[in-house]
Amino acid sequence: MEFSRLTRDITIERDDAGVPHITASTLDDALYGLGYMHATDRLTQILFARAIASGRAAESIAARDELLETDRFFRRIGLHRNQPREREYWPEDVQRQVDHYCAGVNDGMKATGGTWPMWAIGFEAAAWDPTSVLYIGNLLSFGGLAVSQLENERIVIALIQAGGDEGALRELFPGRLEHVDFEILRQARGVKKLSDEALEVLMDLPRLAGSNAWVVSGKLSQSGSPILSSDPHLETNRLPAIWYEAVMRWNGNYAIGATLPGCPLVAVGRTKRVSWGVTYMKGDTTDFFIEDCRKAEEGKWQYRREDAWYDFQVRDEVIGAKGKPSATMRVLENPQGALEVDPEESGDGYYLSLAWTGMQPRSGMAIASWLQMLSAENATEALDVAKGCPQPTLCWVVADVEGNIGMQGNGRFPRRRNGFSGLGPVAAWDARNHWQGVVPADQLPRIYNPECGFIATANEDINEPNRPKLVSQTLPSYRKRRIVEVLEAACEVTIEDMQTLQYDLVSLQAREILPILLPYAPQVLRDKLEDWDYRFDPDSTEAVLFQRFYRNTLLEIFGHERGMGPKRTLYLVTRAGFSSMIIAACDEILKKDLSLWWQTRDKGEMIRTAGEKALLEKEVTWGQFNSFHFTDRFFGGGHVGRLLGFDSPEYPMPGCHATVFQGHVLQTATRESTFAPSYHFVTDMATDLAWTNMPGGPSESRFSRYYKSDVPLWLDGDYKKLAPKFETSPTDPPEESPQTPLP
């Protein structure tokens, strides 16, 4: 490829899939080339993401209600306030590397000039700088990850404030709500759940809210070296894909994998000596507090500590809106967090405030950790780099060419009062409830060369006995246990075996829950499901029948007025507002013989009723029931998008939330969303190769042949080869996906 403004001695070539191969003499220049290609192929994506992270999306993109809502959300938490200072904490080499990357983005931006979406809305682009990199990093940490924990805590608050039975709710979340005063919480104001439209904006952000990663040692592999597999899960049906694949080579080393546009990091990948994959730990780094607030005689708002009152700090945020007058949002905050709402509207009383450890100094060192991973010489060094990463909370799985494997948890976790989970709010006026520093990194989970010969992680509850509790929500372990089940039976493992496991469709949830339900089911339903193989294959009608039977059971048992309520339960257990935390908690209740959830009702009769209702629905296959469309992030979904071919035909989505291939379709306010593997990566440390696919391609342009170049591979479970030495394939490029024009 030739570029008019390329100012470094580097070479950039595309392979048949459009993946850029960047060759440079130094890592600095390779990162410059990566920045150049991010601007070349994903300029709209990185500029719009920066606008959202800085709380200026409505001002610079469009004055839409959902963008105004996300602007207020990010500005209230203060995501924009601390970025300039964070660069000063970086080591000199990291500062230099980020500067080179930003120079590449800016040169690429000048060469590109602009994009169609930018032209359509009159978007004016400012230069890319280290603060921009930190914004994108914080989107990964907060907008994409901590928000999921935050929304689960809001669900718990809403269930309590809706008047659900206290004993039943404590049973639903055992050991997690003992510290919560239900009476005080029910008086607190400020539960502002994000709207579906605003959550859809956040769905566009880089997230690892669900993922799989595992590694087998050489004693289990056919090659005699470790094989590492990783597949982060996020929204997959809106193009361009969130990740951007690249191959960088410099001074005898290389990096292959999925990069994050706007940042010089490789989220999942490998170098000559080390490979890594990550999953979201779902660690709890956010807390709600209950503040007792009053308005003093002089007009200032105050908060109470024991019997004393103190003035809130006041911060005014000017929220712009394109083509409309700006509005000022007042934020009241103190050392324990920021109030969720302005108390001026409702007067004295209890209010909720929010705290996040990511607002503490040195949170930006996460960028340094990702860059330092490129220089790790072995698994031990890689684990140490991961341990020092302050955010987001992840489980890193690593392997090296010497045959070592390991796992390291990371994150900055608040040290809470003994016995407090963090899932429910506590009174801020009692100083014993305040955070007491953070959990030392040496107390975070670590595994090195286990005797069993493999390590797997898939968003399971990672809390360890006699250790700080890092996870507060109830988490399903079905995917993790299925991976372990397969690996325990494995020997002479190959790349192909790991690729097959990444597409595994067996649901351990169905295998464990169906025997509980089936004895009470109508005979017709029993006949249909008793020989089912528990696979959520697109051709399966049994998968749909089970899902309906299971959904109806949850509605019957948990949807009564003294429970979660019928409407809220319907929202939380279906594709409208699916909550894996609620699903996991309900599954544990279903396994009981006695429970407060059916103490005055007949469990078997409710299950039978659920089965009868499931039989009334039309029989369809899982592929018909769980289908989706690819659409464009910027133009899809509307009349213009359909007219210009931005929306694809309907595709079946295999799998469900409980299968290794987590194929999940959600129906939100105005469109469908998906949650599925956004990148498949497998590498054998005996070679320099990686095998990958993704639901998309390198380019964000609908009219590029590289817009959907990997989609056929992703749909069919096929993989392409990435190698540090650029090779032209003797075969034809992948078959063009529907509605992608020929070059």
Side-chain angles (χ1 to χ4, degrees), residues 34 73 182 188 251 264 399 442 677:
L34 179 64
F73 176 67
F182 277 44
N251 194 28
D442 288 339

Side-chain angles (χ1 to χ4, degrees), residues 438-466:
V438 297
V439 174
D442 288 339
Q443 295 188 34
L444 301 180
R446 184 169 183 142
I447 302 172
Y448 188 70
N449 287 338
E451 187 65 29
C452 65
F454 67 85
I455 301 168
T457 177
N459 318 118
E460 72 282 3
D461 187 342
I462 202 168
N463 288 334
E464 299 176 311
N466 304 316

Side-chain angles (χ1 to χ4, degrees), residues 105-403:
V105 173
N106 288 321
D107 283 350
M109 193 185 307
K110 292 173 185 175
T112 302
T115 65
W116 188 17
M118 293 168 62
W119 170 82
I121 63 172
F123 188 91
E124 297 181 4
W128 204 257
D129 58 12
T131 298
S132 304
V133 170
L134 285 161
Y135 275 137
I136 303 301
N138 258 352
L139 274 185
L140 175 68
S141 301
F142 184 76
L145 296 179
V147 164
S148 63
Q149 171 70 29
L150 189 63
E151 289 303 296
N152 277 324
E153 293 184 20
R154 291 187 200 275
I155 288 172
V156 172
I157 294 170
L159 290 174
I160 294 172
Q161 293 193 333
D165 182 83
E166 181 173 337
L169 290 176
R170 293 190 190 278
E171 183 187 4
L172 190 64
F173 303 106
R176 292 171 169 84
L177 298 181
E178 277 65 15
H179 61 287
V180 177
D181 187 321
F182 277 44
E183 182 178 351
I184 290 178
L185 179 54
R186 283 171 173 160
Q187 301 175 54
R189 306 181 183 106
V191 183
K192 295 191 66 176
K193 183 185 183 301
L194 287 170
S195 68
D196 287 344
E197 293 86 351
L199 286 172
E200 286 173 2
V201 174
L202 297 184
M203 291 287 279
D204 273 337
L205 307 180
R207 309 192 312 158
L208 297 167
S211 309
N212 304 317
W214 65 85
V215 61
V216 298
S217 70
K219 71 179 185 180
L220 295 182
S221 72
Q222 189 178 85
S223 70
S225 292
I227 300 179
L228 182 139
S229 307
S230 184
D231 50 295
H233 301 170
L234 44 78
E235 190 181 47
T236 54
N237 65 308
R238 277 191 277 176
L239 301 173
I242 285 180
W243 305 114
Y244 182 85
E245 280 192 292
V247 178
M248 296 184 288
R249 297 186 298 276
W250 71 94
N251 194 28
N253 202 353
Y254 64 81
I256 300 173
T259 71
L260 178 63
C263 272
L265 64 84
V266 181
V268 174
R270 66 164 296 170
T271 62
K272 187 175 183 178
R273 299 192 58 81
V274 172
S275 59
W276 62 93
V278 295
T279 65
Y280 181 34
M281 188 194 293
K282 293 186 180 284
D284 189 352
T285 59
T286 66
D287 272 352
F288 282 104
F289 289 93
I290 304 173
E291 293 284 2
D292 189 5
C293 304
R294 74 175 187 184
K295 191 173 186 178
E297 292 182 1
E298 60 272 23
K300 293 183 178 180
W301 278 95
Q302 298 181 322
Y303 60 94
R304 178 166 68 89
R305 292 295 178 265
E306 301 296 345
D307 296 325
W309 292 87
Y310 302 89
D311 292 341
F312 276 106
Q313 294 178 330
V314 179
R315 169 165 50 95
D316 289 328
E317 294 286 351
V318 179
I319 309 296
K322 200 163 192 174
K324 296 182 179 180
S326 299
T328 299
M329 178 182 70
R330 185 174 68 165
V331 181
L332 303 184
E333 53 192 357
N334 61 27
Q336 276 60 60
L339 291 188
E340 285 281 273
V341 296
D342 191 332
E344 196 69 46
E345 299 177 5
S346 301
D348 296 0
Y350 296 137
Y351 288 87
L352 290 169
S353 68
L354 174 65
W356 175 47
T357 60
M359 296 304 297
Q360 297 176 0
R362 298 184 181 274
S363 294
M365 287 298 293
I367 300 296
S369 297
W370 291 101
L371 281 168
Q372 289 163 355
M373 190 62 69
L374 299 177
S375 302
E377 288 291 317
N378 51 54
T380 300
E381 288 187 15
L383 294 175
D384 288 341
V385 168
K387 183 173 72 172
C389 184
Q391 60 168 332
T393 67
L394 301 172
C395 292
W396 300 65
V397 174
V398 305
D400 66 26
V401 294
E402 297 167 2

